[in-house]
Amino acid sequence: MSTPLSRPSYAAVLRVPNARRTFTAALAARLSYGTVSLAVLLSVTRATGSYAVSGTVLSLFGATTVFLMPLRASLIDRHGPRRALPPMSALYGALLGVLAVLTWRPGASAVAIGLTAALAGGCAPPLGPTMRALWSELVTDRDLLQRAYGLDGVAEELLYVSGPALIALLGGFAPPAAGILLSAALNVGGTCAFVTSPAMTAPRPLPRKEEAAGAPLAGEGVTGAQPGRARAVLVRGVLPSVVVALGAGLALSAVELLVLAFATERSYDPALVPWVLGALSAGSALGGLANGVVRWRTSARTRLCRFAAGLGLVLAAAGLAPGLWTLTAAMACAGAFIAPVLTTAYLLADESAPRSARTQAGAWVNMAVNAGSSGGALAAGLVIGRLPLPVCFTLAGGCTLLAAAASRVAGAVRVGAASGLRR
């Protein structure tokens, strides 16, 4: 659907027919994921008076949201986003509404709140993977597609920064449960605008790699003896991306605790910690934008390994910082690799997955990042105080270095298997 350009730009991405409207609608819906976690945390804490209950409820909500995402994505690949997304979003919005009613005033049952939150998370529509799968249909030029993925990644990063700020602003004149209702409204309204955009009704051209093979269109599924083979192709294709995303998630969530421990150990004001982590986010945004405008000559798989290795090395070196401002600079440098790692992971998964499983491919990468984030915080909490901080930083960086090595091995195995099939 895109026009090949000699020097594609981010503005060119938004000039692709129907891209601006579709992307704006998707971002409005995805903003709900930037607001909902803090809203649930504040609301449940106010309703139950227990941080333990609110932490458990948020964990249940996060677990069902993340670990059931590939299942929900498979429904989108099978039935198409126009048929699968509206019921998911409607159920998600309704359950968030119930959760808001339960937590509007103190005294609600913790069991009822936890069950409702878990059910809501299980229905959360995978809007990020769906939008990334749609980019590959809106944009057929590979350089422009790289910029589209970069723009998507940076925008998503900004959503998770602005979401909590929006909840804080709302909390100035409304009870915390109003933030849950806002999250529901954003998701349902944005999803409705997303699925009714012209991009969803436009003809779906077959992608380059599968055109000759006559692969099924998204939403048509795979019939006959194909499902098992399609699943095997999907697993082999997304494995390098999933491995690196998991390693990056482990490292980055550990770094948040490590920065706090660094500031505490050196007697810095803890209020400075958000600024250090802000440098990490700023570096990620700049790195993502830079990655999108470079015309790379190496393959996505090679870039993924190199970006992950660069992130690991910088994180390992950050533990040697003599002071907080040096650490801040190191975090900015580490951040410059984050968005390129994740963007390339999604791009490689999209390239490697069958047409009928592109949304699932993105969902597996997304799940790996979030699963790694959960595990990394837990692991960091166990080792901080037991090992010197430089060693802890080295272990965090080692997660991505190990993931880069494992991804390279997985990619080599996949290529070898494909060669065997040709023989």
Side-chain angles (χ1 to χ4, degrees):
M1 294 186 186
S2 61
T3 304
L5 302 171
S6 58
R7 286 185 176 274
S9 66
Y10 288 108
V13 172
L14 298 177
R15 285 198 298 268
V16 171
N18 305 318
R20 185 177 302 175
R21 173 179 168 177
T22 306
F23 187 43
T24 301
L27 288 180
R30 290 159 71 181
L31 177 58
S32 68
Y33 298 137
T35 60
V36 71
S37 294
L38 181 58
V40 168
L41 182 65
L42 295 175
S43 301
V44 176
T45 301
R46 181 175 183 266
T48 64
S50 170
Y51 288 107
V53 171
S54 59
T56 302
V57 169
L58 194 59
S59 296
L60 287 171
F61 177 77
T64 54
T65 300
V66 171
F67 292 109
L68 293 180
M69 184 179 289
L71 176 61
R72 298 191 298 272
S74 70
L75 295 176
I76 292 172
D77 281 329
R78 183 172 183 176
H79 300 290
R82 294 190 71 205
R83 285 193 290 173
L85 280 177
M88 288 184 200
S89 183
L91 280 171
Y92 179 69
L95 287 165
L96 286 184
V98 173
L99 186 61
V101 170
L102 288 173
T103 58
W104 198 268
R105 291 184 177 87
S109 165
V111 173
I113 291 174
L115 180 61
T116 304
L119 290 174
C123 299
L127 295 163
T130 304
M131 184 65 231
R132 281 183 282 267
L134 186 60
W135 275 126
S136 63
E137 296 181 354
L138 288 170
V139 180
T140 54
D141 178 77
R142 295 308 299 179
D143 288 330
L144 195 56
L145 179 60
Q146 179 179 306
R147 283 152 182 77
Y149 269 57
L151 180 65
D152 190 281
V154 172
E156 187 170 59
E157 183 101 12
L158 294 176
L159 292 181
Y160 282 95
V161 172
S162 59
L166 186 58
I167 292 299
L169 180 65
L170 182 65
F173 56 87
I180 300 180
L181 292 179
L182 174 64
S183 302
L186 285 169
N187 194 281
V188 174
T191 299
C192 288
F194 181 52
V195 298
T196 56
S197 69
M200 290 293 184
T201 58
R204 295 283 194 268
L206 283 169
R208 297 156 303 280
K209 293 182 179 179
E210 298 171 35
E211 188 170 1
L217 296 178
E220 293 180 352
V222 186
T223 60
Q226 294 299 315
R229 181 181 178 187
R231 281 192 293 271
V233 171
L234 174 62
V235 170
R236 289 198 303 269
V238 304
L239 188 57
S241 296
V242 167
V243 168
V244 169
L246 179 64
L250 283 166
L252 294 175
S253 62
V255 162
E256 294 182 2
L257 285 178
L258 290 172
V259 170
L260 178 59
F262 185 98
T264 303
E265 185 180 89
R266 307 291 180 91
S267 301
Y268 287 101
D269 185 351
L272 295 173
V273 170
W275 293 98
V276 181
L277 298 177
L280 188 73
S281 297
S284 177
L286 292 174
L289 292 173
N291 176 61
V293 299
V294 174
R295 184 163 295 198
W296 299 100
R297 296 184 179 182
T298 55
S299 67
R301 183 173 292 106
T302 300
R303 296 200 307 273
L304 181 63
C305 294
R306 291 177 179 175
F307 287 147
L311 175 60
L313 291 172
V314 175
L315 289 179
L320 303 176
L324 194 64
W325 300 118
T326 309
L327 181 66
T328 302
M331 289 297 101
C333 293
F337 289 98
I338 296 173
V341 165
L342 297 180
T343 299
T344 307
Y346 284 119
L347 187 63
L348 177 60
D350 179 82
E351 288 178 354
S352 305
R355 169 72 182 275
S356 58
R358 279 181 169 168
T359 310
Q360 293 178 69
W364 278 106
V365 176
N366 192 297
M367 188 191 78
V369 175
N370 288 287
S373 295
S374 300
L378 175 62
L382 293 174
V383 300
I384 291 174
R386 292 179 172 86
L387 296 174
L389 273 182
V391 175
C392 294
F393 273 97
T394 300
L395 290 175
C399 289
T400 57
L401 288 171
L402 183 61
S407 172
R408 191 167 186 83
V409 171
V413 170
R414 180 176 178 272
V415 170
S419 300
L421 287 173
R422 283 195 295 270
R423 288 195 296 269

